[in-house]
């Protein structure tokens, strides 16, 4: 492969070992972030790094992030910036990451333990595509599923082709 994506992008090639950077923009998410980070640290896939970008929180989020960083079993960066929005926070995380793939999460997301490993295995099987999309469930505060979205290549192939057209 060895394609370069965007100015200053890293050159990468197909390989058996992959690193995944998990980027989480954070703004006043003290009540959620611990559970999110725990779900990342408990991944079956181990070659990950966590990058949390605090986007000018005025609650306990920065303190909690530093505590989580200090006790983490995986590489964990906490970046602090003024409130510039989630997009800028994600872009800041991208500029600091070392992964072959990026997993974006919101601070109130929880991912299943096999999620990243399953997606890496799929990527390796499919010659390492540039983007991987996963299904999701949305739950209410009582952990009851209120929405499920399943993605399947057979059902969504033409939608993806249309979305990825650049001309």
């Amino acid at each position: 492969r060895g394609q370069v994506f965007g100015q200053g992008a890293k050159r990468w090639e197909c390989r058996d070992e992959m690193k995944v950077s998990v980027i989480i923009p954070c703004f006043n998410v003290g009540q959620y972030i611990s559970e999110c980070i725990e779900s990342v640290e408990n991944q079956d896939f181990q070659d990950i790094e966590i990058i949390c970008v605090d986007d000018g929180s005025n609650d306990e989020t920065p303190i909690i992030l530093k505590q989580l960083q200090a006790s983490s079993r995986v590489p964990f960066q906490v970046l602090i910036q003024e409130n510039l929005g989630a997009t800028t926070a994600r872009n800041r995380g991208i500029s600091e990451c070392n992964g072959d793939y990026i997993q974006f999460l919101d601070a109130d997301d929880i991912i299943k333990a096999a999620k990243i490993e399953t997606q890496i295995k799929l990527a390796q099987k499919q010659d390492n595509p540039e983007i991987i999309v996963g299904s999701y469930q949305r739950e209410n505060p009582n952990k009851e599923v209120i929405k499920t979205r399943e993605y399947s290549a057979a059902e969504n192939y033409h939608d993806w082709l249309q979305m990825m057209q650049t001309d």
Side-chain angles (χ1 to χ4, degrees):
R1 304 271 253 217
Q3 296 174 323
V4 176
F5 300 98
Q7 185 176 19
K10 297 176 188 172
R11 181 174 292 278
W12 64 279
E13 300 175 7
C14 291
R15 58 190 191 138
D16 291 334
E17 298 298 319
M18 294 285 181
K19 181 175 188 136
V20 175
S21 298
V22 180
I23 298 174
I24 308 168
C26 301
F27 178 73
N28 291 345
V29 293
Q31 66 188 41
Y32 305 110
I33 192 63
S34 294
E35 194 172 7
C36 176
I37 296 299
E38 182 180 336
S39 76
V40 175
E41 290 179 328
N42 290 330
Q43 288 298 295
D44 296 337
F45 185 80
Q46 296 296 303
D47 198 2
I48 60 173
E49 67 175 345
I50 299 170
I51 302 173
C52 289
V53 183
D54 183 77
D55 191 40
S57 294
N58 53 26
D59 69 351
E60 69 280 4
T61 299
I63 295 166
I64 293 170
L65 288 174
K66 290 292 187 181
Q67 292 169 343
L68 292 167
Q69 179 186 35
S71 64
S72 183
R73 306 180 303 276
V74 301
F76 191 139
Q77 293 184 62
V78 175
L79 308 174
I80 308 290
Q81 67 180 32
E82 64 180 293
N83 183 245
L84 299 170
T87 301
T88 302
R90 285 185 186 96
N91 287 336
R92 173 107 186 264
I94 290 169
S95 72
E96 300 290 331
C97 77
N98 296 301
D100 300 292
Y101 279 100
I102 296 171
Q103 167 69 63
F104 290 114
L105 292 179
D106 290 331
D108 61 349
D109 290 346
I110 300 167
I111 56 177
K112 293 182 180 182
K115 181 195 189 301
I116 292 176
E117 182 175 69
T118 300
Q119 289 185 312
I120 288 297
K121 286 179 179 177
L122 177 63
Q124 291 168 334
K125 183 178 176 183
Q126 299 296 323
D127 197 27
N128 299 324
E130 285 80 24
I131 187 170
I132 301 169
V133 177
S135 302
Y136 69 89
Q137 289 182 330
R138 179 171 284 153
E139 299 176 349
N140 66 19
N142 297 324
K143 304 287 184 189
E144 299 165 328
V145 176
I146 56 175
K147 182 178 181 177
T148 299
R149 178 66 167 115
E150 296 286 336
Y151 290 99
S152 101
E155 294 175 18
N156 303 103
Y157 181 73
H158 294 292
D159 294 337
W160 280 107
L161 286 179
Q162 185 176 13
M163 196 170 18
M164 296 298 153
Q165 287 180 343
T166 58
D167 54 342

